Amino acid sequence: MSAIHEHVLQNGMTLLCWPQRHLHGLEFGLYLKGGPLYETEETQGISNLLEHLCFRGLGGLNREGLLRELNRFGTNLDAATYAEGLVFRLKCLPRFFDAALEYFLRFFANVPWTPEQIAAEKQVVLRQLEADGDGDLFDRAACDFRKTENGAFPPLGTPESLMALTEADIQLWQEMIFQPQNACLVMTGNFSDGMELKKYNTSVYSYNEDEVDEMIMLIHDSFVPAFTDVKDILLKKLEEVESDFASVQLAFDVDSEQVYPVAAEVLSTITAGNDDSMLFQALREEQALVAEIESQISRVGQFSRLVIRYDVRSEWLKDTLTKVFAYLHRLTMYVRPARLNQLRTQFTTNNAMLTDDTAALNDRLGWAWMSGDTAQADWDAAAAQYNELTAEELLDAAQTVFRPENLSIAVQYDPETVGDLRPLLQKLREML
C-alpha cells in the first residue's frame, strides 16, 4: 500500500498514516475494539457508557480541562459506539499536532472515573433510553445480525443493565478496552515525515497489568462475530403501524470468502446505490417512492450485508416488493457488461478524488484495521480490481448473495391498508 504507512509499536498499538500534504488540515482517529459484540446480558451498554465518560474526564483532566484543550485547537472531539468498536475522531490544523497527540494519549492513562462522574453519565444515558424507546425496527433487525453466542444487545443496553453496572465493572472494562494492543491510531491529512516519526516514537501510556492482559486475551480469543441463524427465515421482522407510508429493509448476508468486496460494492450500486439504478428509476416513474431507494454494504468486521431500504406509499407496497424481487432475480440471470463498464469510472476516478477527504480516508483505514485486513484501504489495489472485474464474476456474486437463506426482511406497514403480507413474502421468496 504505497500511500499508507503502517507501524506497530512495542506496546502492541497499531499506527496507520496516510499523508496528504496538499491539504490544510489533518485528522486523528482512535479505533478501539469493543461495543455490543463484546458484551454479555449483564454488561450490555457498558461500551457506550465508557464512550460517554470520556467526555467527562481523561487521564486526570476533567471535563472543563478537556474542553479548554479542544477550544485551543478550535475543534471538537467526535465519538460513536458501533457494534464492534468505539471510535474517537478529531480534526485540527498541523500546528496543533503535538497537543492533539497528547490529547489522545490520555485515553490510555489508568485514571478511573469518579463515582460522581459515573452517576451523572448514567442519568444522561437513561434519558437517551427513555427518548429512544424500543428503537427503530431496522436497528433492532441489525442487532440480530450482530448476534453472538452471548446474544444480541442494543448499543445503549437497558435501564436495568445500565444501573446494575458497578464502579468495579466500569474500571475493568476501561482497562480492557483502553489498552494500546486493543487500539489503532489513524492519522490522515497534512503531516510531515518528521511528525509521523515523532508519533511512532511517542511513549503511549500503558499499565501492562497481567490480569488485564489476560482478560483482553480471553475476550478476544473467545469472541467470534457470527451471523444470526436466518436460514429458511424470510419473515425476519414485521411490524404493524398505522401510517399512510410503509418502510422496507431487505438485508442479504455477504460471505467475503465467496464474494469479492469490490463485486459486492458494484452489486449494491447496480441495485439501488445511485440515482441511475434500475430500481430507483422503475419505482420513481410510478411515483411510488417517498424519497430515494438506498443500497449499501453494511460491514461488521469480517462480515457484511447488502442492505436495500426504501419508504413507499402503503398502497404501493406490494407492487414495489414484487418489482424489487423480480429485479433481484433478473440480476441472478444476467448482468449487462455495458452496465458494469458504466460503473468503472465511479469506482476508480471518483474514489481517487476522495483522497482529499481526510475523514473518509480515516474511516476507511480505521475500519480496515478493525476487520483485520488493512489491505482493504488500498484504493490503488481496489481500482485495479474494479477494472479487472468481469460481468461473469459479477453474475456469480449476484447468484451467491441473492439467495433466500441469506435474506432477512424488516417491514413497517399499516395492515388496514396493506393486508397480510406473509403470503406475498413467501411467494416472493420462491423467486430467488
Side-chain angles (χ1 to χ4, degrees):
M1 298 184 292
S2 58
I4 303 168
H5 306 158
E6 181 175 358
H7 313 285
V8 179
L9 304 184
Q10 291 184 354
N11 60 16
M13 180 181 239
T14 299
L15 304 178
L16 292 175
C17 306
W18 193 326
Q20 302 153 276
R21 297 185 180 90
H22 62 288
L23 300 180
H24 288 94
L26 62 90
E27 182 145 352
F28 286 97
L30 180 64
Y31 296 77
L32 301 140
K33 294 177 182 176
L37 284 181
Y38 292 84
E39 297 169 358
T40 65
E41 186 172 358
E42 292 75 22
T43 60
Q44 59 179 303
I46 194 169
S47 299
N48 178 72
L49 180 62
L50 290 177
E51 177 230 306
H52 280 232
L53 284 167
C54 288
F55 289 86
R56 288 198 176 266
L58 277 177
L61 202 62
N62 62 18
R63 181 184 183 90
E64 290 71 24
L66 294 173
L67 289 175
R68 280 197 300 271
E69 283 291 288
L70 293 175
N71 288 337
R72 186 159 65 92
F73 306 156
T75 189
N76 294 307
L77 179 69
D78 295 323
T81 300
Y82 298 93
E84 61 172 339
L86 280 67
V87 180
F88 298 87
R89 303 268 287 275
L90 187 152
K91 181 175 289 187
C92 65
L93 293 174
R95 68 174 181 269
F96 296 117
F97 175 89
D98 291 343
L101 179 57
E102 289 294 328
Y103 190 100
F104 275 98
L105 296 183
R106 292 185 178 276
F107 281 92
F108 304 99
N110 186 17
V111 180
W113 291 288
T114 66
E116 293 75 20
Q117 289 172 324
I118 293 172
E121 201 56 47
K122 279 186 176 182
Q123 293 303 314
V124 172
V125 179
L126 281 176
R127 290 194 293 272
Q128 272 190 292
L129 284 165
E130 182 180 356
D132 289 348
D134 290 333
D136 187 88
L137 171 66
F138 302 133
D139 291 338
R140 282 180 273 143
C143 284
D144 286 343
F145 165 52
R146 301 175 173 102
K147 192 171 185 178
T148 68
E149 292 181 358
N150 290 329
F153 310 113
L156 299 183
T158 66
E160 295 75 19
S161 68
L162 179 69
M163 297 310 295
L165 294 173
T166 67
E167 293 172 27
D169 294 331
I170 293 168
Q171 184 173 0
L172 178 59
W173 276 77
Q174 177 188 4
E175 293 170 345
M176 288 191 297
I177 290 180
F178 295 104
Q179 280 275 339
Q181 64 266 35
N182 192 52
C184 178
L185 187 58
V186 178
M187 188 167 70
T188 51
N190 187 351
F191 57 91
S192 66
D193 293 337
M195 295 162 75
E196 181 176 335
L197 182 63
K198 176 182 176 63
K199 180 176 166 185
Y200 178 73
N201 290 330
T202 298
S203 176
V204 177
Y205 298 126
S206 176
Y207 24 91
N208 295 323
E209 297 178 7
D210 293 339
E211 180 181 355
V212 175
D213 289 344
E214 289 175 6
M215 287 295 293
I216 285 281
M217 294 295 293
L218 177 62
I219 286 182
H220 289 184
D221 290 346
S222 62
F223 166 66
V224 178
F227 292 131
T228 326
D229 185 11
V230 296
K231 296 189 183 302
D232 297 325
I233 300 177
L234 178 62
L235 308 177
K236 183 67 177 161
K237 292 279 184 182
L238 288 173
E239 184 165 286
E240 297 177 352
V241 295
E242 293 184 7
S243 174
D244 294 334
F245 305 102
S247 297
V248 176
Q249 177 176 289
L250 307 175
F252 291 89
D253 297 343
V254 178
D255 188 341
S256 58
E257 293 185 359
Q258 299 185 49
V259 179
Y260 292 125
V262 293
E265 293 283 357
V266 174
L267 271 183
S268 175
T269 302
I270 287 179
T271 304
N274 57 23
D275 290 350
D276 69 345
S277 71
M278 292 300 294
L279 279 180
F280 180 84
Q281 293 295 328
L283 300 185
R284 186 182 66 171
E285 289 303 314
E286 295 175 347
Q287 298 181 344
L289 286 180
V290 174
E292 68 276 2
I293 184 169
E294 301 173 351
S295 180
Q296 64 180 4
I297 300 296
S298 175
R299 289 188 173 84
V300 181
Q302 60 184 309
F303 304 111
S304 59
R305 271 185 166 181
L306 192 159
V307 180
I308 301 169
R309 183 172 178 175
Y310 65 94
D311 297 329
V312 65
R313 297 183 183 278
S314 294
E315 62 267 25
W316 287 95
L317 175 60
K318 291 184 176 180
D319 288 340
T320 58
L321 279 170
T322 301
K323 284 185 176 293
V324 168
F325 275 82
Y327 180 70
L328 296 179
H329 171 68
R330 194 174 82 184
L331 274 179
T332 65
M333 303 297 292
Y334 180 69
V335 173
R336 291 189 302 120
R339 180 63 175 133
L340 174 58
N341 289 333
Q342 290 171 359
L343 292 170
R344 295 192 195 279
T345 300
Q346 178 176 344
F347 286 102
T348 53
T349 304
N350 287 357
N351 273 359
M353 289 190 291
L354 283 176
T355 56
D356 284 352
D357 188 340
T358 58
L361 293 187
N362 206 289
D363 197 57
R364 188 179 183 97
L365 278 173
W367 286 104
W369 172 82
M370 196 76 78
S371 70
D373 182 12
T374 54
Q376 291 183 18
D378 188 347
W379 271 342
D380 290 337
Q385 292 178 34
Y386 287 124
N387 286 326
E388 294 170 0
L389 184 67
T390 66
E392 290 76 15
E393 290 172 330
L394 193 58
L395 176 62
D396 183 65
Q399 293 171 345
T400 303
V401 172
F402 297 128
R403 293 179 177 175
E405 61 265 26
N406 294 335
L407 171 65
S408 63
I409 183 169
V411 183
Q412 290 179 319
Y413 69 103
D414 181 0
E416 294 293 329
T417 304
V418 176
D420 188 2
L421 274 182
R422 288 168 177 80
L424 173 63
L425 292 175
Q426 293 289 8
K427 180 180 178 181
L428 295 176
R429 176 190 183 189
E430 297 172 1
M431 297 174 59
L432 296 177

